[in-house]
Amino acid sequence: MSTDISTKFIVEEAKESRIHEVDFDTLLFGKEFTDHMFECDFIDGKWQTPTIRPYQPILVDPSLKVFHYGQAVFEGMKAYKDDAGQVWMFRPDQNQIRINKSAKRLAMPEFPKDWFFEALNRLLVLDDAWIRKGKGNVVYIRPFIIATEPAIMAAPSTQYKFMIILSPVKSYFRGDVSVVFAEHYSRSADGGVGAAKAAGNYAGQFYPTNLAKEMGYQQVIWTDSNEHKYLEEAGTMNAFFRINDVLITAPTSDRILDGVTRKTVIDVARREGIPVEVRKITVAEVVAAAKEGSLKEIFGAGTAVVISPVKSFSYQGVDYPINKPEKSYADLFKELITDIQYNIVEDPFGWRYKVSADNY
Amino acid sequence: MSTDISTKFIVEEAKESRIHEVDFDTLLFGKEFTDHMFECDFIDGKWQTPTIRPYQPILVDPSLKVFHYGQAVFEGMKAYKDDAGQVWMFRPDQNQIRINKSAKRLAMPEFPKDWFFEALNRLLVLDDAWIRKGKGNVVYIRPFIIATEPAIMAAPSTQYKFMIILSPVKSYFRGDVSVVFAEHYSRSADGGVGAAKAAGNYAGQFYPTNLAKEMGYQQVIWTDSNEHKYLEEAGTMNAFFRINDVLITAPTSDRILDGVTRKTVIDVARREGIPVEVRKITVAEVVAAAKEGSLKEIFGAGTAVVISPVKSFSYQGVDYPINKPEKSYADLFKELITDIQYNIVEDPFGWRYKVSADNY
């Protein structure tokens, strides 16, 4: 009954590209998709034939388990094209490992590593024209697994669908954001699924984030659900704090996602000789640092935005502005990381992954 | 832009019933569905025309927001047919209020109350033949709302679909279950979405429940995520504890669902002169009561199973058997509640709701 990983991919190419319908100058994040998608169904205890076909809607039963019990995990990755036209991914091994970790926590089957990479390479080679050269252009890659058994019993699904869809995006400049430190609402619990990239983790944040937006803030930095004492993560990003010249971020846990950009920032910072502390960081400590002027920066780190600087935070009704120093860590990391991603500089860490038809 | 609630329903009846294809003696929970379903889309800031059509698959984009960010809430209800052939629902007003509370917590639009009831009445009248007479036969009703915007930006959806599907089921006798008190994993956090009937709350429980099953237990009774000190709920049911003759259940909170059967049990118990305490209940207290023999019963209460008696619990590796007394509260409540549901006895609480074409 186990998956036969030597099964050949079925590839059905689109008859005509839709690329001429897309205005690459006005792309909204995640609204347009490329010509092809990957899908593979888990039925009868095994993953069936991996298939690439033209991007298209899927026909599903209203009793689809993901609609009712939220069994769904995903990853966020990107493909970059350098000036020579070569396409690269960035640390895709990390996403491959993590989607299977997430799947396990949600009682879903793991997807074979070889197929994960073959699917990515095939899709990106097929849809190469959608990946434009140079910084500012990128194709966002969304692998995901959903529970597809048509049954509304509250138990793990017996059927799943693994898909990869690609969305061309502009790496946008969002501007520095104002955030709120969470005092009542929470993102996740000890012993919960906060460390998994589970769909349900995101829906729960929308309402409290809307409340913050109504008050003029763009994001929430989540604190621990027990005491709201420790600063944890920003929901779609990990959070970094710079006090004087020390960079601090919370350790990963049950509640905090092990972000690829987070790990990358830590490694790059250490290489640059910046002192990094991976430890619990309290709200009190950050508020005190803001008051005495030693809080130099706060920023989020995640695949979608890479680095998102914070210009002020609010806590207990008080706004604390942050005056980003001229030599900003946020700016430095953003440049160093994107330069590696776009093959502009050397890659001493071996993080770049060359996309090629030679890989399948 | 607001919904015009006077809009007339569109009803497209099935040309032929599928009822002869279904073996009512071997029904599995939630696998078969009746001839019709209800759907209504939220687009451009309002709910569009409410529609009943033959039960059928729906065509959706792979970027459907519910697949990626878990914006999905649901309800569980039942329809009962008495010996005279009249169909009843049980406290449907409670489900109508709760689905909108759940929707609000997940940043989703509330569904109009009048349409909720018109949809239920129309569906149940149309699919009357699927509801068999008498205890043991029931149609399970599943209203749900899913996020349907085709876009993978992590923000609330701009489009939703509200649906109701009906599944004929046998009210099965599952037998008394063995449970584990959670010591590591958690169902929900303070400030989280545990009180909402959100899809993501269920997926997170499957893996720890599987671990319990591998050890020979059927269910987990969740404890608070902070200290695992207080007994909270059973995931798809609220939990009740009987120490000597006192019935104890946890108060509802951010973390605990305000169950309709839970409320019903409390009211029925009080009418029967049973002392009821709605208060925090500690693991230590229940373990001590089990040791000294004063723990008489534990049971779960929920729409699907009504009352589910527990025959033993496990904590810190020790199994504590529970010897259900002859005059069991669990048995008493199950009989009293189902007798009201099937119109066998008087309904002093006014809980029964008569399903009728007169309601639309």
Side-chain angles (χ1 to χ4, degrees):
Chain A
M1 286 287 273
S2 71
T3 293
D4 176 8
I5 162 89
S6 72
T7 303
K8 290 271 183 296
F9 276 48
I10 290 176
V11 179
E12 183 202 335
E13 288 193 34
K15 292 204 180 76
E16 218 177 335
S17 176
R18 287 177 292 98
I19 197 167
H20 61 276
E21 297 167 17
V22 175
D23 180 355
F24 278 73
D25 293 326
T26 59
L27 289 171
L28 293 172
F29 185 90
K31 294 282 273 185
E32 297 286 350
F33 297 91
T34 65
D35 289 323
H36 298 89
M37 66 186 197
F38 172 77
E39 63 179 319
C40 187
D41 290 315
F42 184 89
I43 300 171
D44 293 338
K46 62 180 179 184
W47 291 104
Q48 306 292 321
T49 309
T51 304
I52 285 173
R53 56 169 52 108
Y55 188 90
Q56 61 193 276
I58 55 175
L59 196 63
V60 297
D61 200 85
S63 66
L64 205 71
K65 229 161 211 187
V66 64
F67 291 157
H68 302 270
Y69 304 118
Q71 257 189 311
V73 298
F74 70 93
E75 275 300 320
M77 309 166 70
K78 283 176 170 174
Y80 316 87
K81 190 175 272 180
D82 67 21
D83 288 339
Q86 172 63 47
V87 176
W88 302 90
M89 286 188 284
F90 185 71
R91 310 186 76 176
D93 53 314
Q94 299 297 313
N95 302 94
Q96 187 274 321
I97 292 166
R98 194 171 59 185
I99 198 168
N100 282 343
K101 268 193 191 167
S102 297
K104 187 178 174 191
R105 179 61 184 85
L106 272 81
M108 303 167 79
E110 297 180 23
F111 190 72
K113 178 180 176 179
D114 288 357
W115 282 1
F116 184 87
F117 280 98
E118 181 165 344
L120 286 170
N121 277 281
R122 282 186 181 275
L123 273 179
L124 292 168
V125 167
L126 262 177
D127 287 340
D128 177 83
W130 293 78
I131 314 165
R132 302 271 168 124
K133 283 182 188 172
K135 273 191 183 183
N137 298 308
V138 70
V139 158
Y140 182 85
I141 304 167
R142 171 54 57 90
F144 63 104
I145 315 177
I146 52 174
T148 49
E149 187 188 3
I152 54 169
M153 185 164 197
S157 182
T158 58
Q159 297 173 27
Y160 297 89
K161 188 185 279 292
F162 176 94
M163 297 191 80
I164 303 175
I165 55 178
L166 307 178
S167 176
V169 298
K170 282 277 178 198
S171 60
Y172 53 105
F173 178 68
R174 176 163 61 174
D176 294 5
V177 298
S178 302
V179 303
V180 179
F181 290 172
E183 294 169 50
H184 170 70
Y185 290 101
S186 305
R187 179 183 168 275
S188 62
D190 275 332
V193 299
K197 246 179 131 58
N201 287 339
Y202 296 79
Q205 298 179 58
F206 291 161
Y207 176 72
T209 303
N210 279 353
L211 295 180
K213 284 183 177 169
E214 282 166 17
M215 294 172 64
Y217 307 99
Q218 284 89 57
Q219 294 253 331
V220 177
I221 296 189
W222 299 103
T223 50
D224 66 293
S225 64
N226 302 1
E227 304 177 90
H228 300 292
K229 188 174 158 187
Y230 300 101
L231 290 156
E232 303 212 316
E233 61 147 291
T236 59
M237 297 182 290
N238 292 102
F240 283 84
F241 303 86
R242 174 183 174 182
I243 296 180
N244 292 317
D245 286 338
V246 180
L247 189 65
I248 310 165
T249 194
T252 56
S253 72
D254 261 11
R255 297 188 305 267
I256 302 181
L257 193 78
D258 183 14
V260 179
T261 312
R262 173 185 175 278
K263 282 192 277 209
T264 301
V265 165
I266 292 170
D267 287 347
V268 167
R270 288 189 169 140
R271 187 195 59 178
E272 295 297 309
I274 293 169
V276 181
E277 294 178 5
V278 177
R279 63 165 170 86
K280 287 189 169 194
I281 179 161
T282 64
V283 173
E285 178 181 2
V286 171
V287 168
K291 283 180 178 165
E292 72 176 34
S294 59
L295 180 70
K296 304 294 184 191
E297 295 183 78
I298 299 179
F299 58 88
T303 295
V305 198
V306 191
I307 301 291
S308 176
V310 171
K311 68 179 175 197
S312 75
F313 72 87
S314 167
Y315 180 66
Q316 291 185 338
V318 180
D319 285 320
Y320 298 88
I322 303 166
N323 298 311
K324 192 157 77 169
E326 210 171 310
K327 289 198 172 177
S328 150
Y329 286 176
D331 294 347
L332 176 70
F333 297 141
K334 179 142 195 175
E335 193 181 341
L336 290 174
I337 294 168
T338 53
D339 279 355
I340 295 175
Q341 290 171 333
Y342 284 89
N343 192 25
I344 291 167
V345 296
E346 286 300 295
D347 174 22
F349 301 99
W351 285 335
R352 273 196 300 267
Y353 175 95
K354 194 174 191 166
V355 172
S356 164
D358 298 339
N359 294 333
Y360 52 87
Chain B
M1 287 285 273
S2 71
T3 293
D4 176 7
I5 159 90
S6 71
T7 303
K8 290 270 183 297
F9 276 48
I10 290 176
V11 179
E12 183 202 334
E13 287 193 35
K15 291 205 180 74
E16 219 177 334
S17 176
R18 287 179 290 97
I19 197 166
H20 62 276
E21 297 168 17
V22 175
D23 180 356
F24 278 73
D25 293 325
T26 59
L27 288 170
L28 293 171
F29 185 89
K31 294 282 274 184
E32 297 286 349
F33 297 92
T34 65
D35 289 323
H36 298 90
M37 66 186 197
F38 173 76
E39 62 179 318
C40 187
D41 290 316
F42 184 89
I43 300 171
D44 293 337
K46 63 180 179 183
W47 291 104
Q48 307 291 320
T49 309
T51 303
I52 286 173
R53 56 169 54 107
Y55 188 91
Q56 61 192 276
I58 56 175
L59 196 63
V60 298
D61 200 86
S63 66
L64 205 72
K65 228 160 213 186
V66 63
F67 290 158
H68 302 270
Y69 303 119
Q71 258 189 309
V73 297
F74 71 91
E75 276 300 323
M77 310 166 68
K78 283 176 172 174
Y80 315 87
K81 190 174 272 180
D82 67 21
D83 288 341
Q86 172 62 47
V87 175
W88 303 90
M89 285 189 284
F90 185 72
R91 310 187 76 177
D93 53 314
Q94 299 297 314
N95 303 94
Q96 188 274 322
I97 291 166
R98 194 171 59 182
I99 198 168
N100 282 343
K101 267 194 192 168
S102 298
K104 187 178 175 194
R105 180 61 184 84
L106 271 81
M108 302 167 80
E110 298 180 23
F111 190 72
K113 178 180 175 178
D114 289 357
W115 282 1
F116 185 87
F117 280 98
E118 181 165 344
L120 285 171
N121 278 281
R122 281 186 182 274
L123 274 180
L124 291 169
V125 167
L126 262 177
D127 287 340
D128 178 81
W130 292 79
I131 315 166
R132 303 272 167 124
K133 282 182 191 173
K135 273 191 183 184
N137 298 307
V138 70
V139 158
Y140 181 85
I141 304 168
R142 171 55 60 88
F144 63 103
I145 316 178
I146 52 174
T148 49
E149 187 187 3
I152 54 169
M153 184 162 198
S157 182
T158 58
Q159 297 173 28
Y160 297 90
K161 189 184 278 291
F162 177 94
M163 297 191 80
I164 303 175
I165 55 178
L166 308 178
S167 177
V169 298
K170 283 276 178 198
S171 60
Y172 54 104
F173 178 68
R174 178 163 60 173
D176 295 5
V177 298
S178 301
V179 304
V180 178
F181 291 173
E183 293 169 50
H184 170 69
Y185 290 102
S186 305
R187 178 182 169 275
S188 62
D190 276 333
V193 299
K197 248 180 130 57
N201 287 339
Y202 296 79
Q205 299 178 59
F206 291 161
Y207 176 71
T209 303
N210 279 353
L211 294 181
K213 284 183 177 169
E214 283 166 17
M215 294 172 66
Y217 307 99
Q218 284 90 55
Q219 294 253 331
V220 177
I221 295 189
W222 300 102
T223 50
D224 66 292
S225 64
N226 302 1
E227 304 177 88
H228 300 292
K229 188 173 158 187
Y230 300 102
L231 291 157
E232 304 212 316
E233 61 147 291
T236 60
M237 296 182 291
N238 293 102
F240 283 84
F241 303 85
R242 173 183 174 182
I243 296 180
N244 291 317
D245 285 338
V246 180
L247 188 66
I248 310 165
T249 193
T252 56
S253 72
D254 262 9
R255 297 189 305 268
I256 302 181
L257 192 79
D258 184 15
V260 179
T261 312
R262 174 186 175 278
K263 281 191 278 208
T264 301
V265 165
I266 292 170
D267 288 347
V268 167
R270 287 190 170 139
R271 188 194 57 176
E272 295 297 309
I274 292 168
V276 181
E277 294 178 6
V278 177
R279 63 165 172 85
K280 287 189 169 193
I281 179 161
T282 64
V283 173
E285 177 181 3
V286 171
V287 168
K291 283 180 178 165
E292 71 175 33
S294 59
L295 180 70
K296 303 295 184 193
E297 293 182 79
I298 299 179
F299 58 86
T303 295
V305 197
V306 191
I307 302 291
S308 176
V310 171
K311 68 179 174 197
S312 75
F313 71 87
S314 167
Y315 180 66
Q316 292 186 338
V318 180
D319 285 320
Y320 298 87
I322 303 166
N323 297 311
K324 193 158 76 168
E326 211 173 307
K327 289 200 172 178
S328 150
Y329 286 175
D331 294 348
L332 176 70
F333 297 141
K334 178 142 193 174
E335 192 181 341
L336 290 174
I337 294 169
T338 52
D339 278 355
I340 295 175
Q341 290 171 333
Y342 284 89
N343 192 26
I344 292 166
V345 297
E346 285 300 296
D347 174 22
F349 301 98
W351 285 334
R352 272 196 301 265
Y353 175 94
K354 194 175 192 167
V355 173
S356 164
D358 297 340
N359 294 331
Y360 52 88

